[in-house]
């Protein structure tokens, strides 16, 4: 199977999951979640869905992960209905720490520039 096709299906899955979380899922634990990306396998058996939360609190992040995992059956059912795939892939949610990592690097760079001698 083409990896290009898998990426197109992954993009559709990302759009649909974002829409479902925004409009259909009523769990308050997933209220402030953002889907940052998806990574489907070439055979479309598994899709890793990366998310981030507006809160820096680890407890809120864990609660959001629990809420997303509990919504997986509903999300898969809706994806199957909308996308009409032969087999709906398994969904695996992973927290995306790249945004926090980028913010930390930016803080370090600002600190370095603060301590640089001015000419």
């Amino acid at each position: 199977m083409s990896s290009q096709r898998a990426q197109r299906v992954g993009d559709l899955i990302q759009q649909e999951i974002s829409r479902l979380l925004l409009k259909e899922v009523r769990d308050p634990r997933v209220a402030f979640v953002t889907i940052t990306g998806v990574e489907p396998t070439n055979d479309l058996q598994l899709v890793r869905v990366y998310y981030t939360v507006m809160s820096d609190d680890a407890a809120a992040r864990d609660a959001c992960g629990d809420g997303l995992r509990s919504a997986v059956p509903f999300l898969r059912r809706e994806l199957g209905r909308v996308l009409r795939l032969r087999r709906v892939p398994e969904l695996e949610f992973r927290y995306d720490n790249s945004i926090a990592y980028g913010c930390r690097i930016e803080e370090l760079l600002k600190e370095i520039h603060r301590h640089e001698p001015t000419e």
Side-chain angles (χ1 to χ4, degrees):
M1 185 173 302
S2 167
S3 63
Q4 189 176 25
R5 178 178 184 269
Q7 191 57 47
R8 282 195 321 262
V9 171
D11 292 342
L12 289 172
I13 288 173
Q14 180 176 356
Q15 291 173 3
E16 191 60 28
I17 287 176
S18 296
R19 186 191 69 77
L20 288 169
L21 290 174
L22 183 64
K23 299 187 182 223
E24 302 289 329
V25 176
R26 303 282 183 237
D27 192 337
R29 297 177 293 182
V30 298
F32 299 107
V33 68
T34 302
I35 303 300
T36 58
V38 296
E39 188 179 279
T41 57
N42 284 340
D43 61 358
L44 292 175
Q45 297 292 314
L46 174 70
V47 174
R48 288 183 187 89
V49 181
Y50 295 94
Y51 69 94
T52 188
V53 184
M54 294 296 185
S55 174
D56 290 336
D57 185 25
R61 184 175 61 220
D62 293 342
C64 182
D66 293 341
L68 288 169
R69 282 185 284 283
S70 71
V72 165
F74 169 76
L75 294 172
R76 286 190 71 218
R77 183 173 55 248
E78 291 300 309
L79 286 174
R81 188 177 58 78
V82 172
L83 299 180
R84 297 180 187 256
L85 296 171
R86 231 181 256 167
R87 186 173 192 284
V88 180
E90 294 291 325
L91 300 176
E92 180 182 291
F93 285 95
R94 291 187 176 181
Y95 182 73
D96 185 4
N97 60 1
S98 64
I99 294 173
Y101 183 72
C103 289
R104 177 70 179 136
I105 289 175
E106 184 140 344
E107 287 173 12
L108 291 172
L109 289 173
K110 285 179 184 177
E111 188 175 320
I112 289 171
H113 286 297
R114 253 184 274 142
H115 296 299
E116 270 185 352
T118 56
E119 292 183 31

